[in-house]
Amino acid sequence: MSNKNPNRFSENELKKVELNKGRVITLAQCTHPFGGCWKSDGRIFFTQQEGQVLSWVPEVGGASVNLNIETRSLWPYLIPETDYILAANPSEGKIKIINADTGEEKIILEQYWNNPKYLPTGHILVERSGRLELFKFNLEKCEIEGSPTPVLFDVRIEALNRDIQLDYSNEGTLVYISGGVQSLGQLTWVNRQGVETVLPFPMKEYHPFKISNDAQKLVIPIKTCLLYTSPN
């Protein structure tokens, strides 16, 4: 992943943002995306159609290329300096590793569903029932070795898409937000100075939302399908 141009999804499009200029560039069209990763050779991998299709596109934009995968592949996570991508198939409860060039797959864990990550220590971090566990991973053989080690029990996990609120550095520092599995959120305005203003709306399971051009209205999907309007 480049630290200058992070990638994001918006309105069924894969986009990158130039942090030094603030420019947003559309790279490719994608339908129902579910995660992506940026390879050092200039390819950005992403899943679409809720994991049924794993594709890549050049970091400068262009036509996307679909890999020939056999099963759903959600939360793709590139193992640095390799051609391997970790991914999960939650419908089958499996974690797999995919060759980024050929699409060849290998199941490495079963009865685990979500968000696999590779740590610089040579371990794979996975979430299971709200608990994070570490597995020793033999990268040469692409195999798990030994039993899991529980590491964290209270990391915040978003109920909507099972995103885990944590990150780590190559030096071994891990940072995370506590809270367990969460589905409720509070609407908050944040201005350019970083000042937060909590809006007078109830805690609910809010989905990704849109703001109007005049910054006066929000369209927010929730389970009751209401439209909230800013009090301003």
Side-chain angles (χ1 to χ4, degrees):
M1 180 73 174
S2 168
N3 58 10
K4 290 182 60 180
N5 301 306
N7 59 311
R8 65 188 295 268
F9 298 101
S10 175
E11 300 177 339
N12 287 330
E13 293 180 333
L14 173 65
K15 302 180 180 181
K16 71 175 181 181
V17 182
E18 294 183 343
L19 295 184
N20 55 348
K21 298 180 180 179
R23 184 173 59 164
V24 179
I25 302 172
T26 299
L27 300 176
Q29 299 293 317
C30 55
T31 304
H32 302 301
F34 220 111
C37 54
W38 200 322
K39 201 171 184 298
S40 59
D41 63 5
R43 289 182 293 170
I44 297 175
F45 290 82
F46 59 97
T47 61
Q48 51 182 331
Q49 298 180 23
E50 297 185 345
Q52 299 290 349
V53 178
L54 177 63
S55 309
W56 67 266
V57 65
E59 62 184 15
V60 295
S64 59
V65 178
N66 297 336
L67 291 183
N68 184 24
I69 59 174
E70 298 176 1
T71 57
R72 295 180 71 196
S73 301
L74 276 62
W75 303 288
Y77 189 91
L78 181 72
I79 298 179
E81 309 303 326
T82 75
D83 291 323
Y84 296 129
I85 296 174
L86 289 172
N89 182 351
S91 58
E92 296 183 5
K94 296 177 180 180
I95 304 295
K96 59 184 177 178
I97 192 167
I98 304 170
N99 187 299
D101 292 324
T102 66
E104 182 182 358
E105 304 177 14
K106 180 179 180 179
I107 304 300
I108 59 173
L109 274 175
E110 297 194 36
Q111 298 184 356
Y112 285 81
W113 292 268
N114 303 313
N115 252 313
K117 300 180 185 296
Y118 181 81
L119 302 185
T121 57
H123 293 80
I124 287 179
L125 181 70
V126 293
E127 179 257 327
R128 183 181 186 183
S129 302
R131 179 175 69 178
L132 296 185
E133 298 181 355
L134 276 180
F135 285 88
K136 181 67 178 177
F137 186 64
N138 187 320
L139 190 55
E140 292 185 0
K141 297 180 179 180
C142 293
E143 294 178 354
I144 294 293
E145 296 182 341
S147 301
T149 301
V151 288
L152 290 171
F153 295 87
D154 192 38
V155 176
R156 175 165 177 138
I157 300 169
E158 306 302 328
L160 175 64
N161 52 19
R162 306 303 292 186
D163 279 345
I164 304 173
Q165 299 292 0
L166 64 79
D167 202 0
Y168 51 87
S169 70
N170 290 334
E171 291 75 24
T173 300
L174 185 146
V175 294
Y176 68 95
I177 299 174
S178 61
V181 179
Q182 298 285 336
S183 61
L184 300 181
Q186 178 68 61
L187 296 179
T188 305
W189 286 113
V190 182
N191 65 18
R192 293 180 182 274
Q193 290 71 43
V195 178
E196 298 182 1
T197 302
V198 177
L199 300 182
F201 300 123
M203 296 280 288
K204 286 186 177 293
E205 185 174 339
Y206 296 109
H207 294 204
F209 53 84
K210 295 288 293 182
I211 187 170
S212 63
N213 290 335
D214 60 4
Q216 297 301 306
K217 295 181 175 65
L218 296 172
V219 177
I220 312 170
I222 57 176
K223 287 188 176 180
T224 52
C225 299
L226 295 178
L227 172 67
Y228 282 136
T229 303
S230 165
N232 296 329

